[in-house]
């Protein structure tokens, strides 16, 4: 999966197929698609009813003959045909015509760290089905590091944590390459599940799945800080009666429920630091850890990492789109590699 910047500069379009959102960047144009990776299908006729945000709103609200599909799981395409149909509709006819005018369309795509050959092949076939003649694969960790402005090409350590919906990837980069990295199967979805289970077990309250993330972000400013209010009112459905009900929730208990599934992330972070050369660890102690990805904004996660590592932790300015913007920077040629010319004699 080693690809040079020269090869990427020849690409016309960059795609980040994530479990939560799909993003498309067109060279010279910018970010043109940023929509949920969801498609709604009529199972009677096989026709596509909706994609993106509209399809996501249908989740849990559809009659029996409409199926809401997620063709990407854990950063890997699990349904190639559905992913192609979803991408076609997200791009729209105007953008598809613009891409078809390229004589030899080249595309670049993000893939998770240490993605197996089947996952890489699925990503390639998805874009080939859209008309790409050649597909270059780039590690999500490198693309995200470039997108958030880390000096990955310099001989200093850059530590990045990509917090996705299904996985968390952590790496130390130096001289444009990954020194050590780990991928953990815990992401934003596991934390959402922890909140749902906590409310169900301790308050007998069922929360709609689409309300979990807004609830967490509301708690971030309302209660999941040490100086915030101790109790927060939450609306949901009673498990026993099925009626609407409001409860007062202890925010400290919710904070503890959120932290429980993150122990695996802390273990992975420790492993990366243990496997890293001492000189690079010294750099990380100064520069800190950069968090990117849609789940980087989860309440209390950055403070939890600071407490566990005693290292500065930063959240990127636009954490959710760093990977595709990094790919776009490589396509546009704004990334200059460090040239290591061989010495004469």
């Amino acid at each position: 999966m080693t690809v040079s910047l020269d090869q990427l500069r020849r690409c016309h379009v960059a795609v980040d197929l994530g479990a939560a959102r799909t993003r498309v960047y067109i060279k010279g144009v910018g970010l043109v698609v940023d929509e949920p990776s969801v498609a709604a299908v009529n199972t009677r006729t096989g026709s596509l009813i909706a994609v993106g945000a509209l399809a996501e709103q249908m989740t849990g609200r559809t009659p029996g003959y409409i199926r809401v599909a997620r063709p990407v799981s854990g950063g890997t395409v699990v349904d190639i045909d559905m992913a192609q149909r979803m991408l076609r509709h997200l791009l729209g006819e105007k953008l598809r015509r613009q891409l078809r005018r390229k004589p030899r369309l080249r595309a670049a795509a993000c893939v998770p760290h240490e993605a197996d050959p089947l996952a890489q092949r699925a990503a390639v076939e998805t874009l080939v089905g859209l008309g790409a003649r050649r597909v270059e694969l780039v590690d999500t960790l490198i693309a995200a590091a470039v997108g958030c402005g880390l000096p990955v090409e310099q001989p200093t350590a850059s530590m990045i944590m990509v917090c996705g919906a299904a996985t968390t990837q952590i790496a130390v980069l130096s001289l444009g390459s990954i020194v050590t990295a780990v991928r953990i199967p815990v992401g934003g979805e596991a934390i959402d599940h922890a909140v749902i289970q906590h409310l169900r077990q301790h308050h007998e309250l069922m929360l709609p799945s689409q309300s979990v993330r807004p609830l967490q972000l509301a708690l971030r400013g309302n209660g999941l800080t040490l100086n915030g209010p101790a109790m927060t009112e939450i609306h949901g459905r009673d498990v026993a009666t099925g009626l609407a009900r409001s409860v007062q929730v202890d925010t400290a208990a919710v904070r503890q429920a959120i932290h429980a599934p993150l122990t695996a992330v802390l273990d992975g972070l420790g492993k990366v630091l243990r496997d890293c050369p001492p000189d690079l660890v010294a750099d990380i102690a100064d520069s800190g850890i950069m968090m990117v990805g849609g789940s980087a904004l989860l309440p209390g996660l950055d403070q939890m990492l600071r407490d566990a590592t005693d290292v500065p932790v930063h959240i990127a300015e636009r954490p959710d789109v760093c990977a595709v913007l990094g790919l776009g920077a490589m396509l546009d040629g704004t990334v200059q590699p460090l040239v290591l010319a061989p010495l004469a004699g």
Side-chain angles (χ1 to χ4, degrees):
M1 204 169 60
T2 302
V3 57
S4 69
L5 284 174
D6 285 337
Q7 289 172 300
L8 288 173
R9 287 194 190 104
R10 298 191 190 106
C11 294
H12 306 99
V13 60
V15 179
D16 179 15
L17 276 169
R21 298 184 76 86
T22 294
R23 300 175 177 93
V24 180
Y25 184 103
I26 294 182
K27 185 175 184 177
V29 178
L31 188 63
V32 294
V33 173
D34 184 2
E35 292 278 346
S37 304
V38 188
V41 186
N42 185 327
T43 55
R44 294 172 180 170
T45 63
S47 60
L48 209 59
I49 296 174
V51 295
L54 180 58
E56 188 176 49
Q57 290 173 8
M58 295 181 180
T59 304
R61 296 182 169 94
T62 59
Y65 67 92
I66 295 179
R67 178 173 67 93
V68 177
R70 293 183 176 271
V72 185
S73 175
T76 301
V77 178
V78 293
D79 188 338
I80 295 174
D81 178 62
M82 186 61 66
Q84 289 175 350
R85 295 173 68 186
M86 180 186 74
L87 268 175
R88 285 194 196 101
H89 283 80
L90 288 177
L91 282 169
E93 186 60 33
K94 181 180 178 182
L95 285 174
R96 291 209 308 275
R97 280 201 308 267
Q98 183 179 336
L99 292 175
R100 278 200 296 264
R101 284 198 288 266
K102 309 289 184 185
R104 290 184 62 84
L105 180 63
R106 289 179 175 232
C110 289
V111 291
H113 179 66
E114 291 184 342
D116 59 69
L118 283 177
Q120 296 182 31
R121 184 184 178 93
V124 170
E125 288 190 7
T126 300
L127 297 184
V128 167
L130 290 175
R133 301 292 294 273
R134 183 181 174 92
V135 180
E136 308 290 357
L137 300 181
V138 179
D139 197 304
T140 301
L141 289 163
I142 294 178
V146 171
C148 64
L150 291 178
V152 293
E153 74 283 355
Q154 297 300 319
T156 58
S158 299
M159 191 166 190
I160 188 164
M161 175 183 287
V162 179
C163 308
T167 60
T168 299
Q169 303 173 68
I170 308 169
V172 174
L173 308 168
S174 180
L175 289 172
S177 298
I178 295 172
V179 178
T180 178
V182 68
R183 183 167 60 147
I184 305 143
V186 173
E189 292 172 355
I191 298 166
D192 292 350
H193 182 70
V195 174
I196 291 173
Q197 288 298 104
H198 171 79
L199 293 174
R200 188 183 182 97
Q201 291 173 4
H202 294 86
H203 300 279
E204 297 182 351
L205 194 74
M206 290 183 67
L207 200 65
S209 58
Q210 294 185 34
S211 301
V212 178
R213 189 55 56 88
L215 165 66
Q216 291 177 7
L217 296 179
L219 285 173
R220 179 185 177 89
N222 198 28
L224 285 184
T225 53
L226 296 178
N227 56 355
M231 304 295 288
T232 302
E233 187 176 17
I234 295 177
H235 307 281
R237 191 180 80 183
D238 190 278
V239 171
T241 65
L243 300 176
R245 185 163 64 91
S246 299
V247 295
Q248 292 288 330
V249 175
D250 180 7
T251 51
V254 177
R255 188 189 310 126
Q256 191 62 38
I258 287 174
H259 285 184
L262 292 175
T263 53
V265 175
L266 292 179
D267 291 343
L269 187 62
K271 181 181 184 302
V272 169
L273 290 173
R274 286 193 302 271
D275 294 344
C276 192
D279 290 341
L280 295 183
V281 174
D283 291 343
I284 294 167
D286 294 331
S287 60
I289 303 168
M290 180 65 76
M291 293 174 60
V292 303
S295 299
L297 296 173
L298 285 172
L301 179 56
D302 52 345
Q303 188 59 48
M304 183 182 181
L305 295 178
R306 287 190 195 98
D307 295 341
T309 61
D310 289 328
V311 169
V313 177
H314 316 284
I315 299 177
E317 186 176 346
R318 298 178 64 189
D320 51 339
V321 295
C322 281
V324 73
L325 291 182
L327 269 184
M330 297 179 196
L331 264 61
D332 291 335
T334 58
V335 180
Q336 297 299 324
L338 180 66
V339 179
L340 299 175
L343 298 176

